[in-house]
Amino acid sequence: MSVRCVSATPSAYQYPLLIKQLLLTPLATVPEQEITYQGKIRYTYRTLKDRIGRLANLLAAHGVQAGQTVAMMDWDSHRYLEAFFAVPMMGAILQTVNVRLNPEQILYTLNHSEADLLIVNSEFFPILAEIAGRLETVRTVVTISDEAAPPPAPIAAIGEYESLLAAAPPDYDFPDFDENAQATTFYTTGTTGNPKGVYFSHRQLVLHTLGCAAALGGAPRQGHVHREDVYMPITPMFHVHAWGFPYLATMMGLKQVYPGRYQPEVICRLIAEEKVSFSHCVPTILHMILNHPQAAHTDFSGWKVLIGGSALPEATATAAQKRGIDIFTGYGMSETCPVLTVAHLDSAALARSPEDQSVIRAKTGRPLPLVDLRIVDDALRDMPHNGKAVGEVVVRAPWLTQGYVKAPEASELLWSGGYLHTADMGNINPAGYLKVTDRIKDVIKTGGEWTSSLQLEDVISKHEAVHEVAVIGIPDEKWGERPLALVLLKPDHVGKVSENALRHYAAHAIETAGISRYGVLLQVRFVKTLVKTSIGKMNKRLMRADPEALCL
Amino acid sequence: MSVRCVSATPSAYQYPLLIKQLLLTPLATVPEQEITYQGKIRYTYRTLKDRIGRLANLLAAHGVQAGQTVAMMDWDSHRYLEAFFAVPMMGAILQTVNVRLNPEQILYTLNHSEADLLIVNSEFFPILAEIAGRLETVRTVVTISDEAAPPPAPIAAIGEYESLLAAAPPDYDFPDFDENAQATTFYTTGTTGNPKGVYFSHRQLVLHTLGCAAALGGAPRQGHVHREDVYMPITPMFHVHAWGFPYLATMMGLKQVYPGRYQPEVICRLIAEEKVSFSHCVPTILHMILNHPQAAHTDFSGWKVLIGGSALPEATATAAQKRGIDIFTGYGMSETCPVLTVAHLDSAALARSPEDQSVIRAKTGRPLPLVDLRIVDDALRDMPHNGKAVGEVVVRAPWLTQGYVKAPEASELLWSGGYLHTADMGNINPAGYLKVTDRIKDVIKTGGEWTSSLQLEDVISKHEAVHEVAVIGIPDEKWGERPLALVLLKPDHVGKVSENALRHYAAHAIETAGISRYGVLLQVRFVKTLVKTSIGKMNKRLMRADPEALCL
């Protein structure tokens, strides 16, 4: 192939895709648009631009150079948004630290990423106290506090964010550089081993933003995200850039609302007072919000909520719709920036009942533009798209991590055969909707066939007595593995339903739904609690290790 | 700046932005979606994919290699759409020949681009007959015909498109290559000198498609282009890729309607029968359609029409709205791929009267994401954005031609100072809406001040007797130049209004509108006809040369 590449006249601007350019349109068109932190702090995009400049000047004055790493420990805030822009725009790398990891893991990620400067909220001083003496590369600390009288920092700090910002000049000449420059890094929260670092370039984040804008803007009605929306994240900004939506919201010039630490009463208040119309979260968080007493007095109608991170039970989708929420699902993971698919409904589907709509709303979605998403067997051969055949989801897109930080073997495994391996199992129907059924490691192998733990969970969660459920595989002499449902009952149903009754209910529902014939081998146990990961997902690895310990 | 570029594990797919990838989503999600040519030929996206493969095989079998140029002479058709994909996807370059140029100019562009293979509709055989002996590089010709018994080709051809396609296999392994590979070229239709060639890469066309999707998708209501739209171009596919919308429509999986040569009765029929909901055209074409007898019986309601190419008179915008058309303006040119801005209305503006809406609908719009659009003085200094101060529009975006073909001096002039110079004059208001007032060369310099010919045209076009108007500058001893309005009256107003009466009307309206005080020096002459360029724009250069010749 000898293609002819375009030649550029010497004066031509060969536009690199850089994060700073996401700010062009909002500053040119809606400079007075609002950004608020909890409704308590409120400023305009014009001020955002100034504060981004101030932050860059502050960091540069304290020796942060291009290629170095600035780590951030904060809840969702305007300050985080400022760092999303200022740090990469100066050519440095933003490490978004998962503050829900334990202190040892946080220490591991800060040392592993070679973080140079740390911006830390006083809420996390106890963590910092535990690890301060063992930080190998951090040489500068900036503190943040929402408190009038914050506690003293357990480590020498150069000062507090707001006062340092006020002292720094607002103008910073953000340079052009290679669009493949690394912009961000963060660590995935696997259930085994040390956290693994992923990383994204300016080019990747700009393309992810455009891809999401194209997908969410192209929706005819349902799930249409537009320039009059009010955006509030409820997926942490430390978790895959809050799914990239702060970049999207900024490029589109939306009003933005940052809620701080997720407290249901604050979230309900902000939705009402700030007229939030677009958010995203994991099912557990939505569950938590809708079940809070404050929710009974909150009008959620017209609130678009994109669900991801784990499967959305259809029952939750129906309950949310009945509250007026436009709930739908997306799919992605830390390694994929993250968004790969979105499950929009067309006009015909919107005419159906909430229950029928939930079947689509709870699917994992259809690929974004430029996303090459396949389901394949072990030899990377395509499985048929008939809505039944299950294969591993593998993908190519312009915004996937090109490896793991300092982990060449895991990186090659991730990209085996030139496709990123999600380790998710799923089917694709003729309309192109992906339905992720399980993590590869969560599939239950019974009698030599794969049974989907998620399908079984979906069936059981529809029982009126069930609050939450996790289905795991337990060793079985005859079948290899057989499924076990760990069920947390709703408080007012405890003692009114038996494990046996629920098992019969499930077996019947499984047969009716036409799920794997081995599903009927399901056992049911009531539990005191379910084990979750730091970001609210079911931790099946731990539950498998000793299910008996959880049971009533 | 030593940024840290992301490193890729050896097996990682480093996704180049290639036109073939625009096909991924529609083929995965709506393979049965329709594409029709005049309602006479109808096939699915699945067939489009096959025909793209066949076309590539056909071209390859006849020696077309990566880096070579395939020229196309056709009206808007499914065949053109196939070429939009197949030619660049095989690494070759598609030259979209402006069939409205005169034969000598067409010959010039084919030789200048070094076209290797020519695909030509039998309608253009008369042109081909004139130039056949003087084609310097074309060595293969493929004919197209919509006729049952087409005339013989005036040059040796290898065969007819449909039969050659049928004989070629549908599978072609389109390779990956450098995203900066040239994908398209075409020649601008200036009013002076030889046509100038511009060129666009795969990367640029993909980014232009994403940028348009983000801008049109982000509209809250007005001008929202979405996945249930039916698309029909009414800007020729040879003219700046039909503004890039065939790529957008394909990426979004829209139903597509190709109308062939623009005949108002066919266009009206297709709008009604195929339920066309999104088109784009120059004001003259819309004028032609709406004034055709067939239009009186056509329901245009809900038809979104993006106007560009020349200024939209507010009166036309109001008339279109009253027919139920969602009319709005975009801005760009051959050199810019083309779209730079779109003039969407927010919900507040939509509540106003059609006349008030027309003020915004007829503006030139707000910049797309990533578009850095400025108005500047001679020294590239920014003019204030107060809706009044006028400067030259200069721009940076990821999709601008990096020069002119084999014209280094013109290329450097185009990119002088690192910004692409549009040679358009305009103002920007505080809400970021650009209003292009004139081409630099169409500005009238009266008494040392700039007077906008377009503003004067806008004023005069509102008079009930006026069918069309062009305002030009004519030499004047006292004032340097003074404005002259060449007015084409509506047939039923001829003889009922005098030039003097119209001059008084205009002078009054100009004072009321607060336009340049020298506007009142305007003279009015009635004309038999107005001179237009090959693509329907006013040719003011020719009219300035001898205005007297046009007058009644």
Side-chain angles (χ1 to χ4, degrees), chain B residues 383-416:
Chain B
M383 304 296 289
H385 290 195
N386 56 15
K388 286 181 186 158
V390 168
E392 189 190 2
V393 181
V394 298
V395 69
R396 288 175 168 177
W399 47 76
L400 310 182
T401 190
Q402 299 285 291
Y404 291 114
V405 179
K406 300 178 198 163
E409 283 177 27
S411 300
E412 273 299 288
L413 214 55
L414 179 70
W415 275 102
S416 165

Side-chain angles (χ1 to χ4, degrees), chain A residues 287 460 463-469 486-499 502 524-530 552:
Chain A
H287 203 260
I460 297 166
H463 191 283
E464 56 167 6
V466 173
H467 181 69
E468 279 186 304
V469 57
L486 302 171
V487 170
L488 189 64
L489 291 176
K490 291 178 185 162
D492 52 340
H493 284 79
V494 172
K496 293 180 185 160
V497 62
S498 71
E499 292 175 340
L502 203 57
V524 172
R525 295 296 301 278
F526 293 155
V527 296
K528 301 183 284 278
T529 182
L530 290 166
L552 286 172

Side-chain angles (χ1 to χ4, degrees), chain A residues 117-136:
Chain A
L117 185 145
L118 174 65
I119 303 175
V120 57
N121 189 312
S122 60
E123 276 203 50
F124 309 113
F125 284 179
I127 296 174
L128 200 55
E130 280 195 51
I131 65 175
R134 292 176 288 154
L135 285 168
E136 292 165 8

Side-chain angles (χ1 to χ4, degrees), chain B residues 359-375:
Chain B
V359 176
I360 303 175
R361 290 180 186 267
K363 281 192 190 290
T364 333
R366 300 199 287 187
L368 264 58
L370 307 188
V371 171
D372 181 8
L373 186 142
R374 302 166 58 197
I375 48 170

Side-chain angles (χ1 to χ4, degrees), chain B residues 120-129 141-157 159-161:
Chain B
V120 58
N121 190 312
S122 60
E123 277 203 49
F124 309 114
F125 284 178
I127 295 173
L128 201 55
V141 172
V142 171
T143 64
I144 287 173
S145 189
D146 293 327
E147 322 257 331
I155 186 172
E160 192 275 329
Y161 189 88

Side-chain angles (χ1 to χ4, degrees), chain B residues 156-189:
Chain B
I158 56 167
E160 192 275 329
Y161 189 88
E162 278 304 323
S163 24
L164 291 169
L165 223 58
D171 290 320
Y172 188 99
D173 187 15
F174 290 104
D176 278 1
F177 43 75
D178 191 319
E179 67 184 19
N180 294 307
Q182 188 180 333
T184 62
T185 187
F186 53 86
Y187 286 73
T188 63
T189 53

